[in-house]
Amino acid sequence: SLFGLPDQAAHERVLLATDPATGLKAILAVHSTARGPAFGGCRLWHYDSEAAALNDALRLSQGMSLKNALTDLPFGGGKAVILKPQGDFDRPALFAAFGRAVQSLNGAYITAEDVGTTTADMRGLQAVTPFVSGIPRDGAFGGDPSPKTAWGVFVSIRAGVRLVLGRSSLDGVRVALQGLGAVGWHLAEFLHQAGARLIVADVDAAKVQRAAERFGATAVHVGEILAADVDVLAPCALGASLNTQTVPAVRAKLIAGAANNQLATTADGDALQARGICYLPDYLVNAGGIISVAREYRGEGEETAVMAEVSKIAERVEELLQRVQKADSTPARVADDWARSKLVKPA
Ligand code: NAD
């Protein structure tokens, strides 16, 4: 049933936007506006089917509701996916058509970049709609949220290493990084500077080569990274990487990464816990990017203040682990309950 997909609470509205002239096929999912306008990025991706695109949009937008609530942002959750046209396409025209779809929601949904979209795409959208963020601005705060996302993941790993692994620093800690993209690369920089030993994989061999040269990282095959013999696993590629096939092979004791929707299902979080592996929920640790674009959108951006706010993610990690101990539950379940309790209009 379209209205009762498993694992997905009801959405307020879902817009299927098409524009035959540009080839646009997009899904704009507004999960919740209880806390404010739904805020979440726009993904441009080639999907195997329209159903897969819808499923991705719904899962991602629900995740944004939980992320924005747990981060105490005055925004609800939404997400858009554009089904990548086959062959050559006019990118500015496609994004202009997408911008008109965003505009048609009259501010119920605010967009920004995500996988497959860039700051240039967001700048193009600005000509069509004001409901967009993540744009470099002369003399003002703004732009690519990825470094902020990476910083949030880094401080979460640092907190997890201290609280879960009982180690006082990252020096010599072995971290497996799946994906060396916009976030993964910045995370690799932070981890390397802190003395961590990196094991990396990416489908793009050139990025792996650069990581080996710059960070002395050890490269492994993409099929082996999740089972690498490490202390920490940081999934920074795409979603559902932790599933019934991969979870039994994980050797890390701590998982914290940027990818959205890392758990295929909540049961995979239970399975990790049963194996003694602490999974820090993705939407808790990867909120640095939304903090950045939300501040930019509200005109409250300033580098030091944004970084300070992102650093507070580590305090929430600590609070979550305390709640998990008290509740005798898993981090994923406790975070979900915690976030859902905040899915109301902020006082
Ligand atoms: P990106 O597209 O720049 O990077 C993804 C990287 O993963 C690419 O280098 C790609 O080649 C690699 N990859 C793809 N499949 C892989 C596989 N099977 N094994 C190994 N590597 C693989 O995207 P990004 O902006 O770095 O985002 C990464 C993840 O973090 C996404 O799930 C995104 O939704 C999430 N996220 C990003 C932000 C942000 O600020 N960019 C914020 C929150 C969450």
Side-chain angles (χ1 to χ4, degrees), residues 8-9 11 13-14 28-32 38-40 54-68 76-80 109 261:
Q8 286 150 9
H11 278 66
R13 55 175 145 164
V14 180
L28 291 80
V30 174
H31 177 259
S32 168
F39 208 145
L54 177 64
N55 190 48
D56 206 24
L58 297 182
R59 270 169 61 86
L60 288 165
S61 58
Q62 179 180 252
M64 288 311 301
S65 285
L66 301 180
K67 186 186 309 195
N68 293 345
K79 199 91 179 187
Y109 167 65
N261 296 333

Side-chain angles (χ1 to χ4, degrees), residues 4-346:
L5 290 166
D7 243 19
Q8 286 150 9
H11 278 66
E12 285 179 19
R13 55 175 145 164
V14 180
L15 172 66
L16 304 180
T18 58
D19 180 60
T22 58
L24 178 77
K25 280 187 187 171
I27 301 165
L28 291 80
V30 174
H31 177 259
S32 168
T33 56
R35 296 184 59 85
F39 208 145
C42 163
R43 178 169 290 194
L44 175 69
W45 195 249
H46 174 73
Y47 290 95
D48 289 340
S49 68
E50 291 173 358
L54 177 64
N55 190 48
D56 206 24
L58 297 182
R59 270 169 61 86
L60 288 165
S61 58
Q62 179 180 252
M64 288 311 301
S65 285
L66 301 180
K67 186 186 309 195
N68 293 345
L70 205 53
T71 311
D72 290 324
L73 293 172
F75 292 104
K79 199 91 179 187
V81 305
I82 301 176
L83 289 79
K84 196 169 187 176
Q86 301 285 353
D88 291 340
F89 61 95
D90 181 340
R91 193 167 177 118
L94 184 83
F95 275 89
F98 171 68
R100 290 192 290 276
V102 172
Q103 179 63 20
S104 76
L105 291 172
N106 279 321
Y109 167 65
I110 303 160
T111 199
E113 48 273 84
D114 188 61
V115 174
T117 56
T118 65
T119 50
D121 297 328
M122 297 308 121
R123 201 190 285 287
L125 286 181
Q126 210 182 11
V128 188
T129 179
F131 304 117
V132 56
S133 191
I135 300 163
R137 294 160 205 269
D138 280 345
F141 178 82
D144 179 11
S146 312
K148 309 295 185 294
T149 305
W151 181 251
V153 177
F154 173 74
V155 297
S156 300
I157 291 177
R158 201 169 53 184
V161 161
R162 181 169 57 83
L163 298 163
V164 179
L165 306 184
R167 292 173 69 163
S168 58
S169 99
L170 280 165
D171 199 25
V173 171
R174 297 163 303 162
V175 183
L177 251 170
Q178 182 195 38
L180 289 165
V183 181
W185 186 265
H186 288 290
L187 179 60
E189 292 262 12
F190 295 137
L191 289 167
H192 176 65
Q193 279 162 20
R197 281 165 50 202
L198 298 180
I199 292 86
V200 300
D202 195 295
V203 287
D204 183 340
K207 290 179 183 170
V208 173
Q209 175 70 28
R210 277 205 299 279
E213 287 162 11
R214 191 174 168 103
F215 311 123
T218 304
V220 299
H221 188 265
V222 288
E224 290 164 12
I225 191 74
L226 297 172
D229 184 12
V230 290
D231 305 298
V232 182
L233 171 62
C236 296
L238 293 177
S241 57
L242 302 171
N243 53 49
T244 49
Q245 257 110 60
T246 58
V247 164
V250 172
R251 289 154 90 183
K253 285 287 167 227
L254 176 71
I255 302 178
N260 285 310
N261 296 333
Q262 288 163 39
L263 296 176
T265 68
T266 315
D268 297 307
D270 300 342
L272 285 168
Q273 176 103 332
R275 296 201 53 231
I277 299 164
C278 176
Y279 164 74
L280 296 180
D282 42 25
Y283 61 80
L284 168 61
V285 309
N286 73 10
I290 192 73
I291 290 171
S292 175
V293 291
R295 279 219 174 220
E296 173 190 329
Y297 185 77
R298 287 158 63 91
E300 295 170 347
E302 192 267 310
E303 185 72 20
T304 323
V306 173
M307 289 302 269
E309 194 176 336
V310 176
S311 298
K312 284 191 182 153
I313 293 174
E315 292 167 24
R316 277 193 284 277
V317 166
E318 188 156 0
E319 183 172 347
L320 175 76
L321 293 175
Q322 284 164 3
R323 285 171 178 251
V324 168
Q325 262 186 351
K326 279 196 203 128
D328 191 22
S329 182
T330 69
R333 289 184 185 276
V334 172
D336 269 26
D337 290 344
W338 188 10
R340 283 184 202 287
S341 73
K342 292 176 174 236
L343 273 185
V344 290
K345 195 173 171 54

